Amino acid sequence: MKSRIYHTESEDETVALGEKLATELPTTAVVLLIGQLGAGKTTLAKGIVKGLGAAAPDDVSSPTFTLIHEYTPSVYHIDLYRLDTAAQVATLGLEEIFDRRAVVLIEWGERFPELMPAERVDIRLTGTGECSREIEVQWIQSSPPCKVAPVRNRNEFRAALRSSTLPH
Amino acid sequence: MKILGIETSCDETAAAVVEDGTTVHSSVVASQLATHAKYGGVVPELASREHLRAIVPVVRLALEEAGAGFEDLVAIAVTEGPGLVGSLLVGITYAKSLCLARDLPLIGVNHIEGHIHAVILQAGASIEYPALALVVSGGHTHLFEVREGFTYRLLGKTRDDAAGEAFDKVAKLLGFGYPGGPIIDQLAPHGDPHAVKFTLARMKGNTLDFSFSGLKTAVLRWVEQRDLTSEIEARRRSQATSAEDFLPLTPQPTLDLLASFQHTVIAELLRRAVRSIEEIGARSFIISGGVASNTGLRIAAREAGLACPVYFPTPALSTDNAAMIAAAAFPKLHAGHFDDFSLRAQANLALA
């Protein structure tokens, strides 16, 4: 599990961080935006949607009431705030959206862990001041992490071959 | 001339029969039915599955209450967007099937245009153009210029939370349940609207755009700075559902907060409306959507000394309904703007 922590000092900086994170996301990804009311989840979503070239930040508004906002190309912004039970969430057809080649941003998704995919990116936003935020990005893999250290160059590859840890 | 309207864009399954764009013969909204038994006993919400369950009985009831049959209709109107694709599809597919079976023309309607027509439907000829329309609900906060012949220009919109959403979220964080916007409206007169000073949002770029996220966060900070846990918990644990029940559970400082919050939302809405009316030379001001039911907004708009008369829908037509969809279809009917069976659900359909 890879994890990184960022600090932003303003809404503009949070949008800019979202833009940067967008470039690091694969074309198919589920991203949980986790944080209290006013933590900046929708603000970060603005940046990610902008970074993916799907909409301008001013056009990315809160999906709380409408539940799902869709942007072209291939970005979904989902908000489960006003849903109370997993049964309600299940009727939204999220698994179909997860199957699409799309980046899916979900607010309040951590309230329904059983419905979220095992492989995903969790982004936790915490207010550290009026405008400053701590933003932790965690890349969560579904498969157990590889026990063999990654091979970085030709010498290491030869050494690995000699030590017969690789199948012949 | 009667049109059957069908609306399934979000939570509500609704059908209505409207004559000549002025007379509502029936307007059925599934969640508002006294006896849910009529369509199977489940309160419909959000899901396309629930719309599927409700659509046939709701349409049947709308026709029955209007005393109309399919042979009395000149067209069927249906919401094509914006909304949830899965929900929109239920209404669109059912409308198409009915049109095919009964050889009726199909008219697709934008949900937001429907909200504007909820007012035009009732105020009719007294509305002069150009008009300013403020569509303000849990999902939308938009300002449009409405020109003669129903062409639209977007003047401003929310960049984050809708006004109704801010109401509902503030209500929830204070323990009034969700959606609690109407509770805030009923408790606000018991508080001092100038007790808590909230700063108005300053917009970069289009200054007619709205932002309510900062106000919501300011309320949260105010609550965090005081220890309100026990009163919030008391309200949460109580079985209260009405403002009268909540009033004895709400100390004066919290009532003042509610009044100040509502005052600020209304100020944000009307400040931009006043400027828009001036800018476009509006001769009427239409306020529609769920928040149009807010009595504080109604009073403030009437007392604001606006340069033109202001029109509101009745509460039943403020929230999502199908009468507004049927009403919005009449100008299209007269202009011969029909849709064919390629009509599709558009999640992000823009009005302008």
Side-chain angles (χ1 to χ4, degrees), chain B:
Chain B
M1 282 195 291
K2 294 185 181 109
I3 289 182
L4 168 70
I6 295 174
E7 150 72 32
T8 61
S9 68
C10 200
D11 292 7
E12 300 287 10
T13 316
V17 176
V18 174
E19 187 167 3
D20 298 332
T22 51
T23 313
V24 181
H25 287 294
S26 65
S27 179
V28 179
V29 179
S31 69
Q32 287 166 11
L33 285 182
T35 51
H36 296 133
K38 277 183 182 162
Y39 56 89
V42 180
V43 181
E45 44 184 23
L46 52 110
S48 46
R49 206 169 61 185
E50 301 300 337
H51 286 300
L52 266 179
R53 201 198 303 267
I55 187 85
V56 174
V58 163
V59 167
R60 195 174 290 158
L61 189 60
L63 289 170
E64 203 181 293
E65 285 186 1
F70 286 110
E71 61 284 359
D72 302 315
L73 302 176
V74 292
I76 295 177
V78 65
T79 310
E80 57 178 313
L84 281 174
V85 170
S87 299
L88 288 163
L89 269 176
V90 175
I92 290 174
T93 309
Y94 192 55
K96 281 183 189 172
S97 315
L98 290 175
C99 287
L100 188 64
R102 292 292 177 155
D103 198 21
L104 283 165
L106 176 71
I107 301 175
V109 172
N110 181 306
H111 178 81
I112 296 174
E113 181 174 20
H115 274 301
I116 295 172
H117 278 268
V119 179
I120 297 169
L121 164 65
Q122 291 172 314
S126 46
I127 293 178
E128 291 182 62
Y129 300 92
L132 175 72
L134 170 65
V135 179
V136 59
S137 66
H140 309 284
T141 307
H142 287 86
L143 276 172
F144 291 101
E145 176 184 355
V146 186
R147 300 200 195 100
E148 193 90 53
F150 304 116
T151 55
Y152 304 90
R153 184 165 68 99
L154 180 67
L155 301 171
K157 64 175 187 330
T158 184
R159 291 183 191 168
D160 39 58
D161 297 359
E165 175 185 344
F167 268 99
D168 290 336
K169 284 186 169 169
V170 163
K172 186 174 179 183
L173 80 90
L174 284 163
F176 293 103
Y178 188 93
I183 301 277
I184 294 185
D185 184 28
Q186 288 158 49
L187 291 178
H190 298 278
D192 172 6
H194 303 288
V196 185
K197 300 272 177 260
F198 292 113
T199 39
L200 296 176
R202 241 186 266 140
M203 309 308 296
K204 284 184 238 162
N206 182 4
T207 52
L208 289 177
D209 275 353
F210 298 91
S211 170
F212 291 104
S213 174
L215 176 60
K216 169 192 72 187
T217 311
V219 171
L220 183 69
R221 297 269 175 280
W222 190 93
V223 171
E224 282 172 349
Q225 280 159 13
R226 288 154 187 85
D227 188 20
L228 299 188
T229 324
S230 60
E231 73 162 88
I232 291 172
E233 270 313 303
R235 284 192 290 269
R236 273 196 192 130
R237 276 197 315 271
S238 74
Q239 301 296 308
T241 51
S242 69
E244 298 88 76
D245 297 344
F246 277 119
L247 188 55
L249 298 169
T250 312
Q252 195 58 44
T254 304
L255 290 170
D256 290 344
L257 171 76
L258 295 179
S260 303
F261 163 77
Q262 168 151 317
H263 175 80
T264 310
V265 174
I266 292 170
E268 294 277 18
L269 295 173
L270 291 184
R271 198 163 65 123
R272 287 164 180 78
V274 167
R275 275 184 33 224
S276 304
I277 288 169
E278 201 172 296
E279 247 173 59
I280 66 169
R283 299 173 69 190
S284 324
F285 179 26
I286 293 168
I287 305 185
S288 193
V291 180
S293 301
N294 183 286
T295 45
L297 175 61
R298 284 179 178 241
I299 294 167
R302 294 221 161 92
E303 290 177 350
L306 299 172
C308 62
V310 55
Y311 299 91
F312 291 93
T314 56
L317 289 184
S318 298
T319 47
D320 290 353
N321 66 86
M324 66 185 201
I325 302 302
F330 277 92
K332 299 180 201 299
L333 175 79
H334 294 312
H337 289 162
F338 299 109
D339 286 283
D340 59 23
F341 293 137
S342 66
L343 182 76
R344 58 188 185 88
Q346 295 183 68
N348 291 331
L349 183 65
L351 181 55

Side-chain angles (χ1 to χ4, degrees), chain A residues 36-113:
Chain A
Q36 288 311 303
L37 277 186
K41 299 182 292 297
T42 299
T43 305
L44 190 69
K46 283 173 183 282
I48 296 175
V49 174
K50 182 187 180 196
L52 294 168
D58 285 355
D59 292 330
V60 176
S61 59
S62 164
T64 298
F65 187 79
T66 27
L67 300 165
I68 302 175
H69 283 174
E70 220 177 307
Y71 300 95
T72 324
S74 305
V75 188
Y76 291 86
H77 183 196
I78 298 172
D79 187 341
L80 306 179
Y81 176 83
R82 70 186 180 97
L83 303 188
D84 297 317
T85 63
Q88 287 178 317
V89 180
T91 59
L92 282 179
L94 292 187
E95 52 309 331
E96 276 169 48
I97 294 176
F98 296 159
D99 279 346
R100 289 179 201 163
R101 206 178 157 82
V103 171
V104 185
L105 310 173
I106 309 182
E107 301 188 28
W108 303 101
E110 74 282 5
R111 293 170 56 228
F112 306 98

Side-chain angles (χ1 to χ4, degrees), chain A residues 16-27:
Chain A
L17 173 64
E19 268 183 84
K20 178 181 124 61
L21 292 174
T23 62
E24 298 171 11
L25 291 172
T27 50

